[in-house]
Amino acid sequence: QRAERFTRFRISGGPDTAMFAGLSELGISNGDDLKETLTNCTEPLKAIDQFQMENGILLPTLQSALPFLDLHGTPRLEFHQSVFDELRDKLMERVAVIADGKEEDRYGKLEELLEKSFPLVKMPSIQPVVMQVLKHLPKVPEKKLKLVMADKELYKVCAVEVKRQIWQDNQALFGDEVSPLLKQYIVEKEAALFSSDLSILHNFFSPSPKTRRQGEVVLKLTHMIGKNVKLYDMVLQFLRTLFLRTRNVHYCTLRAELLMSLHDLDISEICSVDPCHKFTWCLDACIREKFVDGKRARELQGFLDGVKKGQEQVLGDLSMILCDPFACNTLALSIMRNLQELLSQESLPRDSPDLMLLLRMLSLGQGAWDMIDSQVFKEPRLVEVVTRFLPAMMSVVVDDHTFTVEQKLPNEEKSSLTYPTGLPDAFSRYLLNNRVACEMGLYYVLHIAKLRNKNALQRLLPALVDSYNDMAFSDIFLHLLTGHLTLLSDEFGSGDFCSVVFDGFLLTSFSRFGCLVLILSCVPHTHSFYYLIKWQNNYFPAKKTFTDTPFACCCICTRKCCRRTWRH
C-alpha cells in the first residue's frame, strides 16, 4: 500500500508531467525514473527507501532528526516544502547581490545559473528563480528570448527588463503593448475637456506639468522604455504616425510629457541623445509659469537658431512639441500679455523681438502637422501676419482699451464716443484664412471674456463663426470659453447678450458636441434655458416636450439652481 501511494503521487500523469521533464536534463531523477525502478524491482519498499535517500537532503545529521517530525505528525512533504521555499528565497536574494556587485564575471555566473535552471522554467516552484536570473542579465541569450516570446504564459510573467530585450527587435509586439496605453491617454484627455467641474480657476490647463507627468499612462510608458533608446524611438514613431493619422494634438502633449518624465528620472542615456531635450526642458518651465519671460525667450530662440544645416528634421520634432496644447496656450497667453504691454508703452508690435519670437514659435507649432506630413522642414513665414493682421488686431485692442478707459471717467469728462460694432476687414479675413492669426483672435476673445467686456464679446463672437478650419468650435477653445463665460452670469440675464452668444455663435454649429456641452453649462440662467428650448424647437420639432429630446438627461443637473430652472 505504501508503494502504491508513493508511486501514484510521484508519477501521476496529466499536465504536471511536462513540468518535471527538465529534471532529467539536470541529472535529477523524475517520475519516469521512479516508474522504471518500481517496475523492475523485487522489493518495492526497499526501492522507495533507496529513492528517498538518493534524492532527499544529503545531510547526515538530518536523518536522525526526521523521525522526531514523524512523532509530531508533521508530514515529510510539509518539511521538504518549507526547506525548498527557504532555499529558493535565499537563491533569489543571492542572484540580486551578484548582479549588483562589481565582480567582472558576475554576469558569467548568472548565465551559468540560467543554463542550469532554464529547463525547469515551466515548473511553478522554480520559475521565480529563472525569471530573477533573466531580469538581472543585461543581455539574455537570443535562444532563451525566443523561447520566452513563443510561450504566452512565460512572456506574461517575465519582468519588463526581459520584455524590453524582446520588444527592441519586435516592433509589432511592442506596438501591441503600447497601443492600449495610447488609447487610454486620449480618452483621459477628452474626459478632462468635457469635465463638469469647470471654472475660470480650474480648467484643462490648470494641472502643472509635474502633476500631469504622474499620470498612469506616462509612468507606465516610462517604465516600459527604461533606458532603451531604441524603444524610445519606437514610441516617438508611434506618436508621429498617430498624430498624422488623426490630427489629435494630445499625442504632441504625450511626446513632451514622456521626454520630461525621463528627464525627471535622470535617464541621461535617452535625454542626451534627444536633440529636443533642452528646448523641451526650457519650454516646460514656461508652461509651469504660464508665461514666457525675456530670459527664457532668448534661450528658446538660441535653440531654434542653433538648428544646423543638414539637421532640419529636428524642426519636425520641435514643431510637434510646440503643437502641444499646453505649449500653445502658454505662447498665446504670453502674446496677449505682450500686446497689452505694447499698448501701454505705445509701441509697435513689429518692433518687439519677444513678440516676434512668440509668433515664430506659435507658427511653428500650428504648422506641425503640415511639416511632418510634407517632410519639408522649413519654418512658416510670418510676413502677412506681422504686416497685415497685427495692425488690424491692434486697432481692435485699442478700441476696447479706449472704450474701457472712457467708461471709468467721470460723467462730465466723458465724450460722445460710441462703441464700434464692426471689425476691420483684414481682421476677419485673416481670422478665416490664417491659422496663427485665428489662434491669436481666439485667445483675444478669451482675454476680453476674462475682463468681462460684454461689448467686445458681442462684437467679436459672431466673427468667430467663419474661422480657420473651424478652430473656434474646437473642443479646447469651447472648453476655455465655457470657463470664462461663467464670469458673465449677470450678463446672461440680457436677451441681447444671449442672442449674440447662442444665435450668433453657438447655434451656428449645433451639431458639435462641444457646443452642446457649452450650452448645457449655461442652463442655470433663465435666458440660456430659453435658447436651449428654442434649439430643441428648431432642430427636433417632432418632439412634443423637452424631456423627449436627447439632451434632457444632460440638463437635469444635480445643482439646485439647475433643478429650480428646470421646474420653471
Side-chain angles (χ1 to χ4, degrees):
Q1 291 175 349
R2 178 187 171 195
E4 183 180 353
R5 288 197 303 269
F6 189 81
T7 304
R8 188 183 303 118
F9 173 76
R10 291 292 297 180
I11 60 175
S12 58
D16 290 341
T17 304
M19 295 182 181
F20 298 96
L23 289 173
S24 59
E25 296 182 29
L26 304 177
I28 301 175
S29 300
N30 59 17
D32 293 335
D33 297 324
L34 178 59
K35 181 179 180 180
E36 183 179 354
T37 300
L38 293 176
T39 302
N40 300 325
C41 71
T42 56
E43 299 184 31
L45 294 180
K46 289 184 178 180
I48 291 173
D49 290 336
Q50 183 67 23
F51 187 90
Q52 288 178 326
M53 186 177 299
E54 292 176 355
N55 295 281
I57 301 175
L58 303 179
L59 193 63
T61 55
L62 179 63
Q63 300 303 319
S64 58
L66 286 177
F68 287 101
L69 293 177
D70 298 335
L71 292 175
H72 287 283
T74 302
R76 297 287 179 92
L77 174 62
E78 182 179 335
F79 166 72
H80 283 89
Q81 187 65 49
S82 64
V83 174
F84 178 87
D85 292 342
E86 185 70 19
L87 289 173
R88 181 184 59 195
D89 294 342
K90 293 291 184 182
L91 179 57
M92 292 176 66
E93 291 177 6
R94 182 59 182 161
V95 169
V97 170
I98 293 175
D100 295 336
K102 297 182 179 180
E103 299 178 12
E104 293 183 0
D105 63 336
R106 62 185 184 277
Y107 295 127
K109 292 180 179 179
L110 294 182
E111 288 179 1
E112 184 180 352
L113 180 58
L114 179 63
E115 288 296 328
K116 292 181 178 180
S117 60
F118 196 83
L120 303 177
V121 69
K122 290 189 177 182
M123 189 183 296
S125 54
I126 299 293
Q127 192 177 84
V129 177
V130 182
M131 293 303 167
Q132 181 81 338
V133 177
L134 289 171
K135 175 182 176 180
H136 287 91
L137 276 176
K139 186 171 179 57
V140 178
E142 186 68 22
K143 183 179 178 181
K144 301 293 189 295
L145 282 180
K146 290 181 178 180
L147 291 173
V148 172
M149 183 176 64
D151 191 307
K152 292 183 178 180
E153 293 183 1
L154 292 181
Y155 174 78
K156 185 177 180 180
V157 299
C158 72
V160 70
E161 289 83 358
V162 182
K163 289 180 179 178
R164 288 186 196 127
Q165 299 185 46
I166 296 174
W167 291 334
Q168 67 179 4
D169 296 321
N170 294 271
Q171 185 173 2
L173 183 60
F174 185 53
D176 293 339
E177 295 279 353
V178 170
S179 181
L181 293 176
L182 301 183
K183 291 179 181 178
Q184 178 185 342
Y185 184 84
I186 298 301
V187 170
E188 290 174 356
K189 288 297 181 184
E190 291 177 348
L193 277 176
F194 295 111
S195 171
S196 58
D197 184 16
L198 179 62
S199 68
I200 189 67
L201 298 176
H202 179 77
N203 58 40
F204 180 74
F205 295 108
S206 296
S208 67
K210 191 85 170 181
T211 301
R212 289 187 284 114
R213 292 198 290 273
Q214 301 308 310
E216 179 185 1
V217 173
V218 177
L219 291 179
K220 282 186 176 180
L221 285 175
T222 304
H223 183 55
M224 290 171 70
I225 292 171
K227 300 180 180 180
N228 196 305
V229 178
K230 195 171 182 179
L231 294 182
Y232 177 69
D233 288 338
M234 284 186 191
V235 173
L236 295 191
Q237 187 57 44
F238 293 153
L239 294 177
R240 292 187 199 101
T241 302
L242 290 169
F243 176 52
L244 286 176
R245 186 181 302 169
T246 65
R247 291 180 180 262
N248 195 321
V249 292
H250 297 312
Y251 291 115
C252 301
T253 304
L254 182 55
R255 194 263 187 258
E257 287 180 354
L258 187 59
L259 175 56
M260 289 309 300
S261 178
L262 294 167
H263 166 86
D264 293 340
L265 296 174
D266 197 22
I267 309 295
S268 58
E269 290 85 351
I270 293 177
C271 294
S272 61
V273 298
D274 191 330
C276 303
H277 172 232
K278 292 185 178 179
F279 181 88
T280 309
W281 186 8
C282 184
L283 185 62
D284 185 75
C286 299
I287 294 174
R288 184 177 64 247
E289 302 296 331
K290 291 185 171 60
F291 178 66
V292 182
D293 58 33
K295 180 181 178 181
R296 291 197 176 108
R298 288 188 291 273
E299 290 182 31
L300 293 171
Q301 184 174 7
F303 295 132
L304 291 177
D305 294 340
V307 176
K308 299 178 182 178
K309 189 175 182 180
Q311 299 178 345
E312 290 85 357
Q313 287 189 351
V314 176
L315 286 176
D317 282 327
L318 291 177
S319 67
M320 194 170 175
I321 289 171
L322 288 169
C323 190
D324 168 18
F326 290 86
C328 289
N329 179 66
T330 300
L331 294 173
L333 291 176
S334 300
I335 289 173
M336 293 302 109
R337 183 169 171 178
N338 200 288
L339 290 178
Q340 297 301 316
E341 292 177 356
L342 292 173
L343 181 64
S344 63
Q345 298 169 4
E346 299 184 0
S347 300
L348 293 175
R350 70 180 68 179
D351 295 333
S352 171
D354 288 347
L355 178 61
M356 293 300 104
L357 174 63
L358 292 172
L359 289 175
R360 178 185 177 187
M361 290 192 292
L362 183 63
S363 175
L364 192 58
Q366 292 293 318
W369 190 92
D370 294 328
M371 181 180 294
I372 298 174
D373 181 55
S374 65
Q375 293 292 294
V376 178
F377 301 102
K378 292 182 179 179
E379 292 190 41
R381 300 191 57 168
L382 288 169
V383 177
E384 291 192 356
V385 173
V386 175
T387 59
R388 303 288 181 84
F389 175 74
L390 268 182
M393 182 173 180
M394 286 306 294
S395 69
V396 176
V397 175
V398 170
D399 288 341
D400 294 336
H401 181 73
T402 304
F403 189 79
T404 301
V405 173
E406 175 79 12
Q407 297 304 307
K408 295 179 181 179
L409 295 175
N411 291 332
E412 59 274 10
E413 297 183 16
K414 288 184 178 179
S415 64
S416 57
L417 181 68
T418 59
Y419 189 80
T421 57
L423 290 169
D425 292 338
F427 183 87
S428 301
R429 185 171 65 255
Y430 279 93
L431 206 65
L432 176 62
N433 298 322
N434 188 280
R435 182 188 288 111
V436 177
C438 185
E439 185 78 358
M440 293 171 63
L442 296 180
Y443 268 84
Y444 183 65
V445 170
L446 296 176
H447 173 72
I448 60 177
K450 187 176 181 179
L451 298 178
R452 304 182 185 183
N453 192 331
K454 173 184 174 181
N455 293 310
L457 274 176
Q458 288 179 293
R459 181 189 184 190
L460 286 169
L461 275 179
L464 299 185
V465 174
D466 296 321
S467 58
Y468 185 88
N469 279 352
D470 283 341
M471 289 174 62
F473 298 104
S474 65
D475 294 339
I476 293 177
F477 175 71
L478 291 176
H479 170 90
L480 293 174
L481 184 60
T482 303
H484 286 68
L485 287 180
T486 58
L487 298 172
L488 298 164
S489 56
D490 294 337
E491 281 72 7
F492 274 106
S494 166
D496 292 339
F497 184 74
C498 285
S499 179
V500 170
V501 173
F502 290 93
D503 287 337
F505 178 57
L506 290 176
L507 294 183
T508 61
S509 187
F510 69 94
S511 61
R512 292 178 179 268
F513 183 69
C515 292
L516 171 61
V517 172
L518 181 53
I519 292 177
L520 295 180
S521 301
C522 302
V523 165
H525 313 290
T526 304
H527 281 277
S528 303
F529 191 71
Y530 164 75
Y531 275 92
L532 191 62
I533 295 178
K534 180 180 178 181
W535 187 19
Q536 178 252 321
N537 291 333
N538 287 341
Y539 300 109
F540 295 92
K543 305 295 184 180
K544 295 181 180 180
T545 64
F546 183 74
T547 53
D548 294 332
T549 66
F551 316 117
C553 60
C554 303
C555 296
I556 305 176
C557 180
T558 56
R559 289 178 292 180
K560 291 181 179 179
C561 59
C562 293
R563 292 202 297 270
R564 184 167 59 253
T565 305
W566 173 259
R567 287 196 297 271
H568 293 336

